[in-house]
Each structure stands twice: as structure tokens, then as C-alpha cells.
Amino acid sequence: MLVPYLIIIALLFLAMPVYFRIADRFNIIDKPNQRSSHTKITIRGGGIVFYLGALIWFIWSGASYPWFFAGLTAITVISFLDDVFTMSNRVRITVHLVSVLLMIYELGGFGLPWYVLPIALILIIGTINAYNFMDGINGITAMYSFAVLLSLWLANRQESFIDDRLLYCTAIANGVFAFFNFRQRAKCFAGDVGSVSMCFILLFATLSLIFASSNPIYILFFAVYGVDSVLTIAHRLMKRENIFEAHRSHLYQYLANEARANRLMVSTTYGILQAVIGWGVIQIAHLDTSAQIVFSISILALLGATYIILKTYLYRRYIY
């Protein structure tokens, strides 16, 4: 079974230089702005390789999970167009909504109580956008995605909730992207097309696990990003900032920009921390509900306290 994966690695590595030529020809680049942590123009949209990996899996699997893949295709296309042209919020949100509905339909979520669907839509779309906003320094999307994929792979050994090949193909695509992005001077950035499509795949796999196990604790596979995103929004609201405007207020951005910490080390730390939490979730998931609640509250409280302490220190030293 190793040969097919070697072929996939070769195909995706060949695809990246082709995309770089296309991006250079059509000026698909990322210019530094208020949200950016980089200072030089860099090719945008290298995360298109995530979709290519999923496409290879889709063909290989004999068109498994067709509604999910249709949603992935739609959200990838609109995200890529947004990288190139900057689409209107109305069009982008509409496509996100349709894509997420297709994902939920694939999962059988339409059979849940009526009030669950709007809550699920808000949470899923919010998570996708948070994952996109967290893509702000070299390597962070790749390292964090590896952590979530590892957690999903370990869980799949116990629950067998999803086709392993989807996880493998996504991990290979992530590795190819990391080769060009996990550098002090990145060759390319993921772009919206990368962070959004990767999150869509990871959410589908995680929700498949939650549906198969009837256990919501697996949402903690996104705990580190979740705490950083939620508390950053709260911090910006406290400062009376417009939370919809570009910014560099996430903890990882303070560490990389204001504290001048090594960006690849920051990205790796986020990934390792999430991987450790993911392993803990898998160990605790089969215990009684009270133990899971205590574990979940403890993890979120620890992450929240760490965020507040570090953010307060960095804010007072470098900004206030």
C-alpha cells in the first residue's frame, strides 16, 4: 500500500511548481497589510494543494462522501476566487452556508432536532473563519493541521469512523505545503483557499467522529485555536475595536511580532500543544461523563489562563 502514497507525494510535489507559475503569471500574491506578520510579497494560495490531495482521495475512494466533497469543492473555489479578486461578503458567506449544509447532509445531521441545525451552522462557519484568521505566520496552519490529523488518526484506530485514506492524503498534502511554507522565508502562504479547505476537511472528519461516538468531547481537537480566537475577540471588544477589521491581536501574533519569538517555534508550539491535548481527549473519551467534563473544563481553563497571562504581559511590555 506504500506505492500509491509515494505516487501521491510525487504528484503533489509536481503540482506546486505548476501552481507557482500560474500564481506568478496572474499576480496571485500576498502583499503585507495590517493583519500580516510578513514584510515581503509572497505567493498566495499554496494551500490549494489541500484540495488536490482531497481530490485524489475522492477519485481513489470511488467517489465516497459525495455531498461532503461537493461542499469542499464549492468552498475551495470561492476561497480561491477571494484570494484572487476579493469577493463580496454576501457571496462568500452564501457559499460557506451552502457548503456547510452539504457537509451536514452528508453526516446525516438533517435528522437532528430542528433547533440544532442553526446552532451547528453558526459554530461550523465560525470555526472555519477562526481557522482562517489563525493563519498568520509561517508554518502555523501546517503544524496545527498535523496535530489535528494525528488526533483523528489515533481516534480512528478505536472508532473506525472515516476512510483512513482521506486522512493520509490530507496529511501528505499538508506535508507538501509545509515543505514550501515551514521556513523563515516562506515560498508560499496557504491563502484563504488553504486554511478554509483544510478546516472544512478537519471539521468533517471530527464531526464524523462525534456522530459515530455520540461524544462531543472531540471538539477539543480545536481547543488551542478556539481559546485563542474567542479570547482575542473578547480582548478586541474590550478595546472597542471593530472585530471585522484586519488585525494582529492573536496571542501567536504578539509572540511572533511584538516579542520577536521565532515564528517557526511559535507554530510548532501551537501544534505540539494541540497534539498533546488531542491525545488526552482520546484517553479520556471512554471514561464516564463527569470525568470528561472535569477534563474539558480543566483544559479550557488552563489554556485561557495561559492566554490571559501571556497576553497581558506582552501587551503591557510592548504595546500599552
Side-chain angles (χ1 to χ4, degrees), residues 19-309:
Y19 174 73
F20 292 159
R21 286 179 175 272
I22 294 172
D24 186 59
R25 171 67 177 82
F26 292 98
N27 203 36
I28 308 174
I29 56 175
D30 199 319
K31 297 180 180 179
N33 56 38
Q34 291 180 344
R35 179 187 160 195
S36 305
S37 297
H38 61 289
T39 57
K40 296 183 179 180
I41 293 175
T42 306
I43 290 175
R44 178 194 298 170
I48 189 69
V49 71
F50 303 150
Y51 177 77
L52 296 179
L55 175 62
I56 291 172
W57 158 80
F58 184 67
I59 296 171
W60 186 11
S61 70
S64 297
Y65 313 134
W67 297 108
F68 152 71
F69 190 74
L72 174 63
T73 299
I75 208 168
T76 298
V77 169
I78 196 63
S79 299
F80 183 72
L81 292 176
D82 198 36
D83 279 331
V84 178
F85 303 112
T86 304
M87 306 296 292
S88 73
N89 288 333
R90 180 178 299 178
V91 172
R92 184 173 64 252
I93 291 173
T94 299
V95 175
H96 281 210
L97 178 62
V98 171
S99 297
V100 172
L101 284 171
L102 288 170
M103 177 201 291
I104 293 174
Y105 182 76
E106 183 72 71
L107 292 166
F110 282 17
L112 295 172
W114 66 269
Y115 55 84
V116 174
L117 184 58
I119 296 174
L121 287 172
I122 293 171
L123 291 176
I124 294 172
I125 293 175
T127 301
I128 290 171
N129 282 278
Y131 211 93
N132 185 28
F133 291 144
M134 290 295 292
D135 179 34
I137 59 173
N138 299 0
I140 194 165
T141 291
M143 293 301 102
Y144 198 83
S145 298
F146 273 136
V148 180
L149 284 165
L150 175 61
S151 299
L152 289 165
W153 180 81
L154 291 173
N156 208 32
R157 309 276 68 75
Q158 299 178 3
E159 296 288 346
S160 188
F161 60 92
I162 201 166
D163 183 354
D164 253 345
R165 292 174 297 177
L166 174 58
L167 302 180
Y168 290 141
C169 288
T170 304
I172 289 171
N174 195 44
V176 171
F177 170 73
F179 178 82
F180 296 99
N181 177 258
F182 192 77
R183 309 178 181 192
Q184 293 296 341
R185 174 72 194 279
K187 175 69 174 177
C188 68
F189 295 144
D192 288 358
V193 66
S195 54
V196 169
S197 61
M198 174 59 79
C199 187
F200 196 86
I201 295 169
L202 297 179
L203 277 173
F204 173 71
T206 303
L207 290 172
S208 296
L209 173 56
I210 291 173
F211 273 67
S213 63
S214 300
N215 192 343
I217 195 174
Y218 294 107
I219 200 65
L220 290 180
F221 285 171
F222 295 87
V224 177
Y225 266 19
V227 169
D228 195 321
S229 298
V230 170
L231 292 184
T232 296
I233 291 173
H235 185 206
R236 297 192 70 206
L237 289 173
M238 289 172 59
K239 295 191 294 180
R240 298 183 179 180
E241 295 179 357
N242 184 346
I243 62 173
F244 298 104
E245 289 182 351
H247 67 94
R248 299 199 310 182
S249 301
H250 287 286
L251 175 59
Y252 77 88
Q253 291 171 318
Y254 274 40
L255 290 167
N257 300 320
E258 277 68 35
R260 302 293 181 185
N262 183 289
R263 294 175 181 178
L264 300 184
M265 185 60 67
V266 173
S267 297
T268 301
T269 300
Y270 267 65
I272 291 174
L273 183 57
Q274 183 57 68
V276 171
I277 293 172
W279 179 84
V281 168
I282 294 169
Q283 303 311 306
I284 208 78
H286 299 290
L287 300 183
D288 60 86
T289 303
S290 59
Q292 294 182 37
I293 292 174
V294 171
F295 175 83
S296 301
I297 293 174
S298 299
I299 288 296
L300 295 176
L302 183 59
L303 288 174
T306 302
Y307 176 98
I308 292 170
I309 292 170

